[in-house]
Amino acid sequence: NIAFKSDEEFTEYLYIRAQLLTKKNLDQIPSIKGFYGYVSDVELKKRYDNSHIYFSTERGNGWGIPVMNSIVNGMVPVCIDWGASTEYLKCLDRYLINVDSLEVVFPTLQKKTPWYQGQEWASLNSTNISKCLLNAYNDVKAGSVSQDLVRIKNDILKNFSFETISCNFDSLIKPIL
């Protein structure tokens, strides 16, 4: 199962899937079940429990919380080498999708939201995405998911829980008050 959090991700997934299918390399394509739209926390946890890989092409995710959630829930994250997620995933670069270049944020988004005007996002290609998905799929299938992923999970649980973040924030604010 793969979670899609935006129209952009879902569209990009369909485009990449179509490109893979036209290349006639069906033996290399794992069975993928995607879902799109709102799901409750309970339903999301069920889907996480039944998934092995978290795939995201999201480029506007500054904090990396969905990727952290996926790791804590035991999934291998495949995401763009862009944004906050890369800070703790560099040791798992085989799952980070290389950014080839930058492209202008979607024109329709720029029209709707003025602060996107003139901004650029990571540009991706299906070859880089396919390579990372295949790496993750083969590692999960072989049972050879890295010990680095376990270390990252423990680090997230220790340092990035809501309780830890709240305490850190509290210690920064107390001197000001």
Side-chain angles (χ1 to χ4, degrees), residues 94-160:
R94 60 189 277 105
Y95 309 133
L96 288 174
I97 304 164
N98 290 334
V99 174
D100 290 332
S101 61
L102 299 178
E103 64 186 17
V104 176
V105 174
F106 294 123
T108 53
L109 190 56
Q110 286 190 23
K111 288 177 188 173
K112 288 181 186 179
T113 317
W115 55 80
Y116 282 121
Q117 291 179 359
Q119 289 193 24
E120 295 179 319
W121 278 349
S123 177
L124 305 172
N125 72 54
S126 61
T127 303
N128 290 344
I129 294 170
S130 300
K131 182 182 84 172
C132 291
L133 280 172
L134 191 59
N135 286 341
Y137 173 74
N138 286 335
D139 288 354
V140 167
K141 188 175 170 184
S144 62
V145 176
S146 170
Q147 285 299 314
D148 287 327
L149 196 56
V150 173
R151 183 187 49 75
I152 293 168
K153 174 183 177 176
N154 292 334
D155 186 51
I156 289 169
L157 290 171
K158 178 181 174 191
N159 298 307
F160 295 99

Side-chain angles (χ1 to χ4, degrees), residues 72-85:
V72 167
N73 282 284
M75 289 183 277
V76 174
V78 175
C79 59
I80 299 176
D81 192 0
W82 175 271
S85 305

Side-chain angles (χ1 to χ4, degrees), residues 2 8-9 11 19 29 34 39 41 43 49 56 73-74 83 85 95-96 98 107 112 119 122 142-143 147 165 171 177:
I2 299 176
E8 177 190 338
E9 282 189 12
T11 303
Q19 283 189 320
I29 301 174
V39 293
D41 288 344
E43 179 63 22
D49 289 344
S56 175
N73 282 284
S85 305
Y95 309 133
L96 288 174
N98 290 334
K112 288 181 186 179
Q119 289 193 24
Q147 285 299 314
I165 291 170
S171 68
L177 301 175

Side-chain angles (χ1 to χ4, degrees), residues 1 5 7 15 20 29 34 49 55 60 85 92 108 135-136 138 151 154 161 163 176-177:
N1 289 328
K5 295 187 353 204
D7 291 339
Y15 173 74
L20 288 172
I29 301 174
D49 289 344
F55 171 65
S85 305
L92 298 174
T108 53
N135 286 341
N138 286 335
R151 183 187 49 75
N154 292 334
S161 70
E163 182 181 1
I176 298 170
L177 301 175

